[in-house]
Amino acid sequence: MFIKCTLQESLHHYVMLVNLGRHLRSPLLNCMLHTERKVRVNGTDLNVVESGSGDRSLLLMPGALGSAWTDFKPQIEQLPKLLPEYTIIAWDPPGYGKSVPPKRQFGLEFFREDAKAAVDLMRALDRPKFSILGWSDGGITALIVAGRYAEAVDRLAIWGAGAYLNADEVKALRNIRDVSKWSPRMREPMEKVYGVDRFAQLWGEWVDAACAFYDQRDGDFCRNEVEQVKAPTFILHGKKDPMIAAEHIPWLKERLPNAKYYEFPEGKHNIHLRYAEDFNKLVADFFNKN
């Protein structure tokens, strides 16, 4: 299913590479290009980064433990020029990045809780109708938003996400739960965000929560919500992505038959970082459609 290595080996290597990619793209403040602030939502201060000044809205949803700057620096910087009708809004989900407090809470509802928080954030910003760019965990949350709050979503683009977790993925996650077994270079980007002890704790809690979906819900993250998606959808995929099983792409395409699809033949999990210029042009063309 994956190229010349086990899922466990591939996942281990590419957690490292994704984190290194995040590290290399750590933010350099440039107030002329963006604004960063806290927005009060349901009693919680959520960190958001905004760029561009268009009337239409695009929310960027990061991956596991991710934040606006760790996961979306090239999009924050480049998409305003490609999407002049949009304001780009990247958030740190509750308990991630700079949206602390609260302490991040996991459980079988955490994706749906993030989805509601995202909708409430956009309402607080007076942008109740918006499009979404969702990566990995953010792609799962995006599918839930588009399925449960269909009236709020204009267009949707996702990559590195599946609607469920299978047995091979669970085994691979459990094998990389203990971050003390990672190399220092692999741990460093997230340790800079969370600190050494908190990162180890948070990662372990995330792995346990993800595996609980498999143990208690047959791996189901958002199967039902996918069936309810009405917004025009763009699925992008790195053909050599070792972080999700290959079966997820045909599963999504079967249930979203009108979705646009694009594949990076040599791409892996972080295609939006590795191929930022091409990726941004592709999604901009999609979001610029009325």
Side-chain angles (χ1 to χ4, degrees):
M1 187 155 52
F2 303 113
I3 56 163
K4 296 184 181 179
C5 53
T6 67
L7 178 62
Q8 176 186 343
E9 290 169 336
S10 296
L11 185 56
H12 181 79
H13 294 156
Y14 278 93
V15 166
M16 178 179 71
L17 291 180
V18 168
N19 280 340
L20 286 174
R22 285 168 163 171
H23 177 59
L24 292 172
R25 291 166 176 83
S26 60
L28 297 174
L29 294 178
N30 186 336
C31 293
M32 295 182 66
L33 294 177
H34 72 269
T35 59
E36 185 166 2
R37 61 188 173 115
K38 298 288 184 72
V39 179
R40 194 75 170 171
V41 179
N42 299 330
T44 298
D45 291 326
L46 297 180
N47 191 67
V48 299
V49 178
E50 297 162 285
S51 57
S53 57
D55 292 334
R56 300 172 73 182
S57 307
L58 177 60
L59 178 63
L60 313 186
M61 307 189 81
L65 279 63
S67 63
W69 285 118
T70 58
D71 289 13
F72 287 121
K73 185 172 185 286
Q75 286 67 48
I76 293 168
E77 293 180 344
Q78 298 173 24
L79 284 180
K81 182 178 179 180
L82 298 171
L83 293 170
E85 296 182 4
Y86 283 82
T87 294
I88 312 301
I89 300 146
W91 78 323
D92 299 357
Y96 284 172
K98 297 178 184 177
S99 293
V100 179
K103 182 179 178 181
R104 180 69 182 187
Q105 298 295 320
F106 292 104
L108 293 175
E109 296 299 318
F110 82 86
F111 285 117
R112 289 174 181 151
E113 289 166 358
D114 281 356
K116 184 179 185 302
V119 172
D120 289 344
L121 167 66
M122 297 305 283
R123 289 172 179 168
L125 294 172
D126 197 24
R127 294 178 176 273
K129 184 82 170 181
F130 55 96
S131 293
I132 308 176
L133 196 61
W135 177 38
S136 198
D137 270 25
I140 297 168
T141 306
L143 287 166
I144 293 172
V145 173
R148 291 197 161 207
Y149 307 91
E151 74 287 347
V153 179
D154 185 16
R155 304 178 78 81
L156 168 70
I158 60 169
W159 68 106
Y164 59 90
L165 200 65
N166 73 19
D168 288 337
E169 292 168 322
V170 169
K171 182 178 179 181
L173 285 174
R174 285 175 173 155
N175 283 328
I176 61 167
R177 184 188 186 280
D178 183 358
V179 300
S180 69
K181 298 177 181 178
W182 299 11
S183 70
R185 290 181 66 200
M186 189 173 170
R187 297 191 304 264
E188 182 182 7
M190 284 302 177
E191 288 179 346
K192 285 190 173 182
V193 174
Y194 295 106
V196 173
D197 292 340
R198 180 57 182 150
F199 167 57
Q201 179 187 23
L202 197 60
W203 177 256
E205 290 173 355
W206 178 85
V207 170
D208 291 345
C211 293
F213 280 91
Y214 183 78
D215 294 333
Q216 300 178 41
R217 289 191 176 174
D218 191 32
D220 185 14
F221 294 144
C222 61
R223 287 187 180 104
N224 289 338
E225 285 86 353
V226 170
E227 305 282 358
Q228 304 303 315
V229 172
K230 296 180 175 63
T233 301
F234 188 9
I235 302 169
L236 301 101
H237 179 55
K239 189 174 183 180
K240 297 181 180 179
D241 186 345
M243 302 285 280
I244 64 167
E247 68 192 55
H248 290 295
I249 301 305
W251 191 97
L252 286 170
K253 290 169 72 174
E254 180 181 346
R255 287 154 183 82
L256 299 168
N258 296 319
K260 180 178 180 180
Y261 179 73
Y262 186 88
E263 186 171 278
F264 289 81
E266 298 299 317
K268 293 165 185 170
H269 196 56
N270 57 345
I271 53 176
H272 66 302
L273 302 178
R274 175 65 179 84
Y275 305 102
E277 184 175 353
D278 290 339
F279 178 94
N280 288 344
K281 288 177 180 177
L282 287 164
V283 298
D285 179 68
F286 173 72
F287 287 120
N288 273 324
K289 289 182 170 62
N290 292 320

